[in-house]
Amino acid sequence: MAEPLQKKALFNKLHIALLFFVILIAKSSQAQTLLLPGDIAFVSVSASSSTFEFIPLTNIEKGTEFQISNGFWSNENLSFTNSETVIFTAEANINAGTPIKFARSGVENFDVKGTVNLSTESERLFLYQKDSDVNRFIYAIGWGSNEGEKDSFFGSELPTIFKENPNSTLRLGSYNNYQYYIKNGASGTPKMLQDFVQKVAFWRGNDEQGFPKFGTSFNLLNPPVILFDQSLTTVKESDKSTILNVAIYEHDGSKLTVDVAFDSAYSSIDREEIKGFSAQTINFTGLIGDAVYEVEIPLENDGNYEGRETGIFTLQNLSKGRFGDFISHTVLVLDDEVPEIKLEISELLGESILVVHNLESREIDLGGWKLRKGNIDIGLSRNTFLGVGESIVFIDEDMAVPASLLSSAYRLETEQAKMLSSQGTIQLRNEEGVKVSEVEKPRYDVSKVSTLNQSTKTPQSNRTSQSTSAEIMTTSSSKIVFSGWKAINSNEVDVNDFGNTNLYFWDESKAEFLLVGKDISTTPKEAILIGFFDESNASKLETKRKKSVAENEEGVLSTLISTTDSDENDRIQNLEGLNLVRNNTNVAVTAGKLEKLLKNKLEVDLSLYHSSPDFSNISLLKDDDLILPEKVFWVKVNSEVETVEIEIDLREGVETDFQEDDLEKGVLELEVVGQPNQASNIQINFLSEAKEVQNNLNLKLNNKVFLNSFKGAVLAGAIADEYYDLVEVNSSLNNITELPLKFASDNSGEFELEVKRWTDIPDGWVIQVEDLKEDKVYELNENWSLKFNYTNLNDIESDEIITPFMEERFVVKVVPESLLDNESNDELPSSVELYQNYPNPFNPTTTLSFYMPEDGNVKLSVFNIVGQPVAVLIQETMSKGEHNLEWDASDMPSGIYIYQLEIGANIMTRKMTLVK
């Protein structure tokens, strides 16, 4: 709510003269509060319903009387004409900041006499107290078209007292038959709140919908009040410094200090990037009145691309007074460096597609960027993010592909799709118009390749791809060659040409990477070699392998597949049967299609996995993930297979290709999310009696598949000595299933475990999560989530690959309906519960739900991300049980909001996201 009090002022003192108030003594035997101009402020008016709301900025004693009139005032006659008047008499003491709404149904804690019918044209309201025949004016508000004299107050003269007290008069917009109400609440002294209410920018208007339930919250604070004057500053990384303004209001000069501290736990910038700034103490001792103190934060440009970074600074250790709304300040640092992004022209189902690869080791925000080719521009939306190792796929909107793939691709309209089919260079430019990457249309004519006949087309979608493709070279004639981890078949190059590059070969029989030249004396035939190539060797590699790749335009993938029962226990488990494969064609294929082609060829059960660009993580491929040309992936064969060389035509159709699994099943998917941008999922499927249960292994914590230190987060179900991404449960189960969850991350900090998907769970079944550390049990529903802290101990080290500490923190408990009567209800939550809102993200309405085990006083509030109150949705006594409330955020900007439930001593908060 605060605005800068002084610009570029270093501890400027504002000397305030003593204020003398002339108090008029009322001739009344009844005790009451004497109100001064500005002591009561209007916060809403509605001509359509003849209602209005106001808030006292001072405490009002029982018996206090005041009046509100909509008449025309005359300074000459000192009286109203054509007026309607409402007389308010307080029947109880009213605390400052309490919202008071006038409606025909009555006003709580007030005796009300009279009524006011507001005009659908210009209107005004005067609030005043009467001493005999003298009117002492407190506040005036007016709106509508003003056809009167220039200095008139919407047709009425303005009482003289208002000219001397400008903070007691507010002129709103000029629309007729309109309703106005203030946007957000605020915290501060009465003087601060008077200033806040007076700013028309904080108000909103509406002439179509009914007036909403009042939700503004004002928190009156005793002076002095200290806060940042704003919550966000945007700077460039090349800037030498940025300034944080700390404002203080109504100080009396006594001893007062406060610290401005850097919050490293929630910041993405490092201390080195702010030259080690930790904290600075501000001393306001001796200051009388209001002031702004400037704190300079130095900035250091490290020369590396880091995207948009944030530095969070907080006010701490206040020795006296109160904090205002902005006690944290975000410094948004925009990077000057250009990220490494690669454009690739590939082929899917015989048609050209464009793929954008992230080659950086961090997420890239593409919001506001453009693809350009000639006079064709394609703008990317503000919510376009490209994660580490991820790709965005652009396809023609008329292209016949599975619905699951369309949900993760940009579909281009006819004119835009010409970018894919015509010759020329496609460029990617950032918000400043700087070229980040480019690619030329390859020479081969994809129109000569036969396409699969698809009978249906699906709606357009503009969601970004979740495909996790590795950093790979392509058949396109891109002029930019980046360094990084790359893969090549041993028969395509001479490894001696890259003597200073360590090349690794995956040995399926030993289930580990071996170093060529050290662990093995000769390079195995048809081996896939992995290495980190610098720019010089990467350019050399690109030149040498272009020819071999160009020769394979038939779309036939060839590879060796084998399984080895290393421990000879007649079971293929853990890393046994794990083969490293490379898509050595120029055709992109979905993982779902390739898995079916492989199963048909090998006649065994198998699954496909993906490695991150630096081989620091491995994860299960989803059916709609694209396996792009040159992409390296894993084939995990779950049965014994003799070493066999197979060839698969990726353009070949499969009978069940792109068909949804028609098996009826329930799905529970749990996701753990942390910072920065870490997430991992585990899925539990509930199958019908006819389906055989099969589980998918989670290979993320097997360090033998790493070529770099582990990065990311892992959530896996533990069964015996193995970990699983997907666990299946038969719906005919007649016993309780307990599934321990293992969690690990290379980062320490706060994480959130939440239900990501909740579909067709068997009726009557109860699913619980037990928190072993906190000794609590939670019953799950589709909106459930829980925050927890994790510390990475880094206590496992093997062959220079460090895997994080694995914590068994949670246990999932699945209880069939038939066994519920035998279960103790003591394990079910019996305390106050605040559930995750639904839907989330939302636009513009969402439902907030909570449970209370007994009757009590309830307050449900909404705050923005910096802690400023936005709405008070409930503040009343409620009965026990579950309650649901819809919040309409039509007037709110997109962003993260916090909703807080207060029931007795219980205070619970959750986050929700508004996306418009």
Side-chain angles (χ1 to χ4, degrees):
M1 59 154 275
E3 293 185 347
L5 300 179
Q6 299 176 358
K7 294 184 178 178
K8 302 298 180 183
L10 183 60
F11 203 64
N12 291 325
K13 299 183 178 180
L14 305 179
H15 299 286
I16 298 181
L18 293 178
L19 300 177
F20 295 95
F21 293 98
V22 178
I23 308 298
L24 298 177
I25 301 177
K27 298 180 181 179
S28 174
S29 59
Q30 182 179 353
Q32 71 168 1
T33 303
L34 184 67
L35 299 175
L36 301 175
D39 276 351
I40 295 181
F42 286 94
V43 292
S44 74
V45 290
S46 175
S48 60
S49 61
S50 291
T51 59
F52 51 81
E53 294 167 294
F54 51 87
I55 287 184
L57 300 178
T58 186
N59 293 333
I60 294 181
E61 296 181 4
K62 179 180 179 180
T64 298
E65 183 178 289
F66 56 86
Q67 302 182 42
I68 294 179
S69 174
N70 66 338
F72 298 95
W73 173 256
S74 169
N75 283 321
E76 180 180 356
N77 300 324
L78 299 179
S79 62
F80 286 106
T81 58
N82 297 330
S83 66
E84 293 177 309
T85 302
V86 181
I87 302 174
F88 293 83
T89 304
E91 297 180 326
N93 292 333
I94 308 298
N95 293 328
T98 302
I100 301 169
K101 180 175 182 178
F102 169 76
R104 289 181 173 83
S105 58
V107 179
E108 186 177 3
N109 295 324
F110 277 92
D111 175 60
V112 179
K113 296 179 181 178
T115 186
V116 170
N117 294 299
L118 299 179
S119 170
T120 57
E121 298 181 355
S122 64
E123 191 60 277
R124 85 288 314 148
L125 289 174
F126 296 99
L127 190 151
Y128 56 95
Q129 286 184 308
K130 290 187 71 72
D131 288 324
S132 298
D133 295 329
V134 176
N135 295 325
R136 290 187 291 102
F137 287 93
I138 314 301
Y139 205 89
I141 187 170
W143 68 96
S145 60
N146 179 12
E147 298 177 356
E149 297 179 4
K150 181 178 180 181
D151 296 329
S152 71
F153 190 73
F154 295 92
S156 171
E157 294 183 326
L158 195 64
T160 305
I161 188 67
F162 287 139
K163 297 180 181 179
E164 300 171 357
N165 296 274
N167 274 2
S168 57
T169 305
L170 178 63
R171 301 189 185 205
L172 295 175
S174 59
Y175 292 103
N176 293 332
N177 193 25
Y178 221 67
Q179 48 194 357
Y180 295 91
Y181 39 101
I182 204 163
K183 277 187 176 181
N184 303 317
S187 300
T189 66
K191 178 179 178 296
M192 293 170 63
L193 296 183
Q194 287 175 1
D195 293 338
F196 175 79
V197 173
Q198 287 300 119
K199 291 181 172 58
V200 177
F202 293 146
W203 287 69
R204 66 174 180 175
N206 192 327
D207 63 346
E208 296 178 355
Q209 301 176 3
F211 187 71
K213 182 178 179 181
F214 180 67
T216 306
S217 174
F218 285 85
N219 182 22
L220 266 72
L221 303 176
N222 294 323
V225 174
I226 297 89
L227 71 163
F228 286 111
D229 72 337
Q230 55 186 337
S231 61
L232 177 68
T233 299
T234 301
V235 297
K236 288 191 174 182
E237 191 179 30
S238 57
D239 293 341
K240 301 298 182 182
S241 64
T242 185
I243 299 297
L244 308 185
N245 291 325
V246 181
I248 184 170
Y249 292 85
E250 301 177 52
H251 187 34
D252 60 4
S254 60
K255 183 177 180 180
L256 188 153
T257 60
V258 69
D259 294 338
V260 176
F262 173 62
D263 189 343
S264 59
Y266 292 95
S267 299
S268 59
I269 61 174
D270 298 323
R271 291 191 189 277
E272 291 73 18
E273 297 177 78
I274 53 174
K275 296 185 177 180
F277 180 93
S278 178
Q280 180 176 329
T281 300
I282 303 176
N283 189 349
F284 288 109
T285 305
L287 169 74
I288 299 177
D290 305 342
V292 172
Y293 193 100
E294 291 187 348
V295 177
E296 184 175 9
I297 307 298
L299 299 175
E300 181 73 27
N301 191 342
D302 58 10
N304 298 321
Y305 177 77
E306 292 159 328
R308 295 183 180 183
E309 294 187 285
T310 55
I312 308 298
F313 297 84
T314 60
L315 297 177
Q316 301 177 2
N317 304 321
L318 180 61
S319 62
K320 177 185 177 182
R322 301 287 185 272
F323 281 129
D325 290 328
F326 297 155
I327 62 173
S328 66
H329 185 100
T330 300
V331 176
L332 183 63
V333 183
L334 305 181
D335 212 318
D336 295 318
E337 285 75 30
V338 175
E340 287 190 320
I341 293 180
K342 183 175 183 180
L343 300 186
E344 173 187 2
I345 295 291
S346 183
E347 177 192 340
L348 179 63
L349 301 180
E351 297 188 30
S352 292
I353 63 174
L354 174 67
V355 187
V356 181
H357 298 288
N358 177 8
L359 307 187
E360 291 286 347
S361 59
R362 62 182 65 244
E363 183 180 67
I364 300 175
D365 182 359
L366 300 181
W369 292 30
K370 288 184 177 180
L371 287 168
R372 176 171 297 173
K373 185 177 185 180
N375 60 353
I376 302 176
D377 275 351
I378 301 174
L380 303 184
S381 66
R382 288 291 173 185
N383 296 319
T384 305
F385 293 91
L386 193 55
V388 177
E390 291 185 354
S391 304
I392 298 179
V393 181
F394 294 83
I395 64 176
D396 190 326
E397 68 174 349
D398 293 328
M399 187 175 180
V401 294
S404 57
L405 175 60
L406 288 179
S407 67
S408 58
Y410 265 87
R411 300 194 67 196
L412 304 181
E413 298 175 356
T414 303
E415 289 300 315
Q416 294 176 326
K418 291 179 180 178
M419 179 179 288
L420 304 178
S421 58
S422 61
Q423 295 291 326
T425 301
I426 301 174
Q427 295 183 344
L428 176 65
R429 295 180 176 269
N430 64 17
E431 285 185 287
E432 286 74 36
V434 177
K435 182 179 71 176
V436 178
S437 183
E438 66 179 14
V439 65
E440 292 182 10
K441 182 76 166 59
R443 292 188 177 88
Y444 62 84
D445 187 359
V446 298
S447 64
K448 296 180 180 180
V449 182
S450 60
T451 60
L452 295 180
N453 293 323
Q454 301 292 330
S455 60
T456 60
K457 296 181 181 180
T458 50
Q460 181 172 352
S461 172
N462 282 328
R463 291 175 52 192
T464 58
S465 171
Q466 300 302 312
S467 164
T468 51
S469 64
E471 196 274 27
I472 43 185
M473 307 309 288
T474 70
T475 61
S476 68
S477 55
S478 173
K479 299 177 181 179
I480 304 175
V481 180
F482 295 112
S483 61
W485 290 91
K486 304 181 187 299
I488 188 68
N489 282 60
S490 60
N491 63 350
E492 293 179 340
V493 296
D494 185 350
V495 296
N496 295 319
D497 292 336
F498 309 98
N500 61 342
T501 299
N502 287 332
L503 296 175
Y504 297 88
F505 157 66
W506 176 257
D507 190 325
E508 184 277 329
S509 64
K510 296 181 179 180
E512 63 179 326
F513 277 108
L514 301 178
L515 181 63
V516 175
K518 179 179 179 181
D519 298 321
I520 53 177
S521 57
T522 60
T523 306
K525 183 181 179 181
E526 297 293 335
I528 297 174
L529 305 181
I530 308 294
F532 185 86
F533 290 76
D534 58 24
E535 290 186 11
S536 173
N537 280 337
S539 179
K540 187 189 302 182
L541 175 65
E542 171 74 353
T543 301
K544 285 182 174 293
R545 70 181 182 177
K546 266 188 177 182
K547 182 178 180 181
S548 63
V549 173
E551 291 174 351
N552 188 9
E553 293 190 4
E554 293 79 13
V556 177
L557 184 149
S558 59
T559 188
L560 294 175
I561 296 292
S562 64
T563 59
T564 305
D565 185 8
S566 303
D567 54 11
E568 298 181 350
N569 66 348
D570 296 326
R571 293 177 58 201
I572 302 302
Q573 58 188 14
N574 294 321
L575 297 183
E576 294 173 346
L578 187 64
N579 294 264
L580 188 61
V581 181
R582 170 171 160 259
N583 181 3
N584 55 357
T585 76
N586 63 357
V587 176
V589 63
T590 62
K593 175 179 178 179
L594 181 56
E595 182 177 323
K596 292 168 185 174
L597 288 170
L598 285 168
K599 286 180 178 179
N600 289 347
K601 178 73 70 171
L602 296 172
E603 298 182 346
V604 295
D605 180 56
L606 56 85
S607 51
L608 305 183
Y609 291 83
H610 154 76
S611 276
S612 58
D614 59 356
F615 284 82
S616 65
N617 207 338
I618 183 171
S619 57
L620 188 69
L621 278 168
K622 298 179 180 179
D623 286 349
D624 59 352
D625 285 339
L626 275 183
I627 299 177
L628 298 162
E630 299 300 322
K631 178 171 180 176
V632 175
F633 59 98
W634 301 89
V635 176
K636 176 67 170 69
V637 180
N638 301 320
S639 304
E640 286 198 55
V641 174
E642 295 290 338
T643 302
V644 58
E645 182 175 358
I646 62 172
E647 292 187 345
I648 297 178
D649 188 347
L650 300 186
R651 299 193 180 103
E652 176 184 323
V654 278
E655 184 177 352
T656 58
D657 193 23
F658 301 150
Q659 292 181 4
E660 298 292 335
D661 189 354
D662 57 2
L663 177 68
E664 292 184 4
K665 62 184 178 182
V667 178
L668 166 65
E669 184 176 1
L670 292 172
E671 180 178 59
V672 65
V673 181
Q675 296 292 335
N677 303 316
Q678 289 193 340
S680 182
N681 301 65
I682 181 172
Q683 183 172 316
I684 300 176
N685 288 347
F686 298 88
L687 306 180
S688 64
E689 297 182 33
K691 177 68 175 178
E692 181 182 352
V693 170
Q694 294 180 346
N695 301 329
N696 283 344
L697 282 172
N698 183 309
L699 303 178
K700 293 182 180 180
L701 287 174
N702 288 276
N703 54 25
K704 290 185 177 181
V705 301
F706 299 160
L707 284 172
N708 219 333
S709 295
F710 177 91
K711 297 175 184 176
V714 179
L715 179 68
I719 302 177
D721 296 327
E722 296 182 326
Y723 309 112
Y724 293 88
D725 287 308
L726 184 146
V727 177
E728 296 187 333
V729 176
N730 201 299
S731 60
S732 62
L733 188 71
N734 200 31
N735 62 282
I736 299 171
T737 299
E738 291 190 359
L739 178 65
L741 299 184
K742 297 282 190 177
F743 176 73
S745 171
D746 61 323
N747 284 339
S748 300
E750 185 179 72
F751 291 82
E752 185 168 11
L753 179 66
E754 62 182 358
V755 172
K756 184 72 172 180
R757 185 178 175 191
W758 180 279
T759 306
D760 298 330
I761 305 300
D763 290 340
W765 285 38
V766 171
I767 305 175
Q768 301 170 334
V769 164
E770 181 180 2
D771 186 337
L772 301 178
K773 188 173 183 179
E774 299 293 334
D775 194 23
K776 293 183 178 180
V777 178
Y778 302 89
E779 182 175 345
L780 302 191
N781 58 49
E782 59 187 350
N783 300 315
W784 181 85
S785 66
L786 177 69
K787 291 183 179 179
F788 67 96
N789 290 310
Y790 164 83
T791 301
N792 178 20
L793 303 179
N794 285 330
D795 61 349
I796 304 175
E797 186 171 348
S798 173
D799 298 328
E800 299 181 352
I801 300 298
I802 301 175
T803 54
F805 167 70
M806 193 171 359
E807 181 178 59
E808 184 175 320
R809 172 71 181 267
F810 303 102
V811 175
V812 175
K813 189 175 182 181
V814 179
V815 186
E817 182 181 22
S818 60
L819 298 180
L820 283 178
D821 293 338
N822 299 326
E823 282 296 291
S824 171
N825 289 329
D826 293 339
E827 292 188 275
L828 299 177
S830 59
S831 58
V832 174
E833 292 288 342
L834 177 62
Y835 304 119
Q836 187 65 42
N837 66 300
Y838 181 83
N840 189 41
F842 65 97
N843 178 26
T845 61
T846 188
T847 299
L848 309 180
S849 305
F850 61 91
Y851 172 80
M852 49 193 301
E854 57 186 21
D855 299 350
N857 295 322
V858 177
K859 183 177 182 181
L860 182 60
S861 310
V862 180
F863 302 84
N864 59 24
I865 192 60
V866 296
Q868 183 181 21
V870 169
V872 177
L873 305 181
I874 298 176
Q875 190 169 9
E876 59 188 67
T877 300
M878 304 188 72
S879 59
K880 66 179 181 179
E882 184 167 309
H883 300 273
N884 302 292
L885 180 73
E886 185 179 84
W887 183 49
D888 186 347
S890 300
D891 64 310
M892 299 298 172
S894 296
I896 297 175
Y897 291 86
I898 299 168
Y899 58 104
Q900 176 176 286
L901 176 68
E902 297 180 54
I903 299 179
N906 296 294
I907 300 177
M908 308 177 71
T909 60
R910 287 192 182 279
K911 291 181 181 179
M912 55 184 169
T913 304
L914 172 62
V915 179
K916 292 188 175 181

